[in-house]
Structure formats: C-alpha cells, structure tokens
C-alpha cells in the first residue's frame, strides 16, 4: 500500500476525478516547528479545504519527561479522541500533511499505522508543494469511529536500541554534526548511541519531495541495509525518525522506531555515548 501521495494525485481524489476513490480522504494538517510556536494560526489562515488541524505537542505526543524523552508516544485514549474529533474512521483513507519538512506529517502517519489504521499516506512535499485551492474555513467533521489498537508497527526501548545497534542496523536520523557530537542544541549530552549509523533525514528528499524508491533503496543499501536487515531508527525525540521510517517504507524496508530517542538516552548518565564520524 502506498505511503505517500503526490499533490496531483491528491487533487484528483479531492475533486472526484475518474478513477479516484468514491469518497475523498480525511485530511489532517499537522504543521509544527521544533521549539517554535503553535502553527494553528497558520492553519486558520489557510489550509487544504476540509483539513482538520492536529497539534503534535498535545495530541501526537505525551507529556515530556526525562524518563520517556521529549516527545513520548501519546496516551492511546488521547490520540484516539483527537483522531475521532478530526473525523478519522476505520477503513477510510487518511492523508496527512505539514508545512513541507515532512517530520510532523510522518509522525502522524507512523502513529496512525502503529495504532492500527492501514490506509494512511503523507502528502509528498507538504503544503509547500500544493498548488490547489486553500481555505480559511475551519471544518467540523462528523465524529469518527477510530479506536487505536497499538502495536501494529514495532517499537524499541533504550535497551532494544542498544542491542539492535550490535545485531542489525540502528540509524541516527539527526543532522551529522549532532551525531558526531560537534554540537547539541537541545539535549544535555552530545554524541550518538554506540554502534548507530549516521543517516540524516534531509538526505531522503530532494527539492522537498522524497527521492524515488530506487534512489532511497540505494542510499540505505550503502548504509548496510537490505530487505532482510533488522532496522531501527532514532533521532532527537522520535519525530524526524518517523520521517526516516517513512523513507524506508517508500524503499520497501520495514523499520522499528525508538520513540524515546536521544532525549531519553542522553538523560541517563549510565548509558554510553559515542562521538565522531564512526559508529563507535
């Protein structure tokens, strides 16, 4: 099943063009900025017609805590209520988008898939790539019926991530300078999980859109990954790592998410830290 949708294809589905599904997908606007203000005012000013705003900090993540990281997985009941408010239904397609970076949209995609919704896609390139009409009307869709059933996608805890770095491939989706330990603008310790491989999320895209599946497969093959490799991904707090997992899915590769990521790992002084360009 497709995990991304082009702006052109989405426009066809929203207008009911021949060959499109009989009813348009449910649209979720999940614009978000790391350490920035809420993007809800931007949503209210202009969004895809019919899209409902979902807040990453309060609906796609639980309360921050050193024991769980800066963006732990949300309580399933809280997440389910947010999805039903947005009109999400079992068996009905969902398309999520953000401003164009793709991190927040991928987080929403991953959570819905993890919670048991099978038909979820990310708008490739996000709002920045959309050339269709926009609306300032805030919709009030009928209440959805989606009830999360967590566990449909694999997750790792800190110990599982450490083990996978030895037995499979653990990807670090952060910028290379953070992986190498040269800078750390957010978390208390710089560096990476020993054995993890640097794979910056930005290298999955070109011009704001995902690279073709063959290019992504070649990129991950260069990192030691093929269809049979056990793969895990982490980042700073489990958001951009979802984007890496989405890129892996485009390439036909399954991967587990370490939700606590570096914010959880580095908060525990007993856990080892590696620095430099090599896995360590």
């Amino acid at each position: 099943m497709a995990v991304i949708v082009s702006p052109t294809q989405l426009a066809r589905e929203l207008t009911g063009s021949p060959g499109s599904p009989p009813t348009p997908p449910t649209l979720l606007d999940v614009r978000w900025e790391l350490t920035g203000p809420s993007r809800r005012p931007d949503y209210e000013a202009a969004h895809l017609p019919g899209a409902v705003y979902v807040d990453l900090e309060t609906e796609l993540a639980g309360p921050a805590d050193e024991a769980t990281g800066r963006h732990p997985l949300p309580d399933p009941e809280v997440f389910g209520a947010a999805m039903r408010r947005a009109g999400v239904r079992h068996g009905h397609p969902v398309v999520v988008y953000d401003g164009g970076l793709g991190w927040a949209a991928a987080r929403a995609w991953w959570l819905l898939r993890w919670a048991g919704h099978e038909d979820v896609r990310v708008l490739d390139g996000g709002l920045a790539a959309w050339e269709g009409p926009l609306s300032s009307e805030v919709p009030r869709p009928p209440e959805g019926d989606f009830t999360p059933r967590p566990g449909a996608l694999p997750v790792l805890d800190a110990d599982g991530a450490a083990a996978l770095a030895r037995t499979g491939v653990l990807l670090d989706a952060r910028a290379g300078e953070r992986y190498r330990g040269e800078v750390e603008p957010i978390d208390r310790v710089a560096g990476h999980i020993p054995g993890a491989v640097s794979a910056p999320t930005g290298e999955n895209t070109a011009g704001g859109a995902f690279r073709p599946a063959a290019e992504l497969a070649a990129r991950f093959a260069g990192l030691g990954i093929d269809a049979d490799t056990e793969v895990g991904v982490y980042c700073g707090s489990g958001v951009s790592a979802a984007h890496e997992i989405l890129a892996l899915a485009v390439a036909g590769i399954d991967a587990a998410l370490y939700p606590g990521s570096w914010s959880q790992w580095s908060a525990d002084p007993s856990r080892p830290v590696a620095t430099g360009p090599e896995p360590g």
Side-chain angles (χ1 to χ4, degrees), residues 65-69 264 267:
D65 185 281
E66 283 194 350
T68 55
Q264 180 190 47

Side-chain angles (χ1 to χ4, degrees), residues 213-244:
E215 288 186 17
L216 289 171
R219 182 200 180 199
F220 294 123
L223 297 173
I225 296 169
D226 59 29
D228 297 322
T229 306
E230 187 176 4
V231 184
V233 188
Y234 76 96
C235 58
S237 63
V239 177
S240 65
H243 189 278
E244 191 102 286

Side-chain angles (χ1 to χ4, degrees), residues 22 87 95 98 119 123 125 149 164 182 186-187 200 212 218 220:
V95 171
D98 57 23
D119 193 352
L123 175 60
R149 298 185 299 273
L164 185 57
E182 296 166 2
I186 303 173
D187 297 309
F220 294 123

Side-chain angles (χ1 to χ4, degrees), residues 4-6 10 13-14 24-30 48 51-52 92-97 105 108 112 117 119-124:
I4 57 175
V5 59
S6 70
L10 179 59
E13 295 180 15
L14 294 178
T26 299
L27 298 177
L28 305 182
D29 184 313
V30 292
L48 269 65
V52 175
H92 187 79
V94 176
V95 171
V96 295
Y97 70 90
L112 278 163
H117 199 301
D119 193 352
V120 189
R121 292 167 294 165
V122 168
L123 175 60
D124 199 12

Side-chain angles (χ1 to χ4, degrees), residues 54-265:
V54 177
D55 183 69
L56 187 146
E57 296 290 344
T58 61
E59 297 175 316
L60 302 183
D65 185 281
E66 283 194 350
T68 55
R70 280 184 281 108
H71 291 108
L73 299 186
D75 181 286
E77 292 188 6
V78 172
F79 177 62
M83 294 300 99
R84 291 190 293 274
R85 173 187 63 80
V88 175
R89 291 171 281 157
H90 286 290
H92 187 79
V94 176
V95 171
V96 295
Y97 70 90
D98 57 23
L101 183 61
W103 292 4
R107 170 77 171 207
W109 166 83
W110 187 92
L111 281 170
L112 278 163
R113 292 293 313 280
W114 167 78
H117 199 301
E118 296 182 353
D119 193 352
V120 189
R121 292 167 294 165
V122 168
L123 175 60
D124 199 12
L127 189 63
W130 178 252
E131 297 181 350
L134 297 174
S135 173
S136 60
E137 180 181 352
V138 177
R140 299 284 187 272
E143 183 85 359
D145 65 1
F146 181 68
T147 300
R149 298 185 299 273
L153 293 182
V155 297
L156 298 168
D157 59 13
D159 291 341
L164 185 57
R166 297 189 297 269
T167 62
V169 176
L170 180 66
L171 298 179
D172 185 317
R174 299 173 301 160
E177 58 268 25
R178 290 184 70 189
Y179 170 88
R180 295 188 296 271
E182 296 166 2
V183 298
E184 183 43 67
I186 303 173
D187 297 309
R188 63 175 59 183
V189 178
H192 60 267
I193 297 174
V197 176
S198 180
T201 301
E203 296 180 18
N204 295 324
T205 59
F210 278 99
R211 295 182 182 276
E215 288 186 17
L216 289 171
R219 182 200 180 199
F220 294 123
L223 297 173
I225 296 169
D226 59 29
D228 297 322
T229 306
E230 187 176 4
V231 184
V233 188
Y234 76 96
C235 58
S237 63
V239 177
S240 65
H243 189 278
E244 191 102 286
I245 291 175
L246 181 59
L248 285 156
V250 171
I253 300 166
D254 296 328
L257 174 70
Y258 172 23
S261 285
W262 187 248
S263 58
Q264 180 190 47
W265 182 279

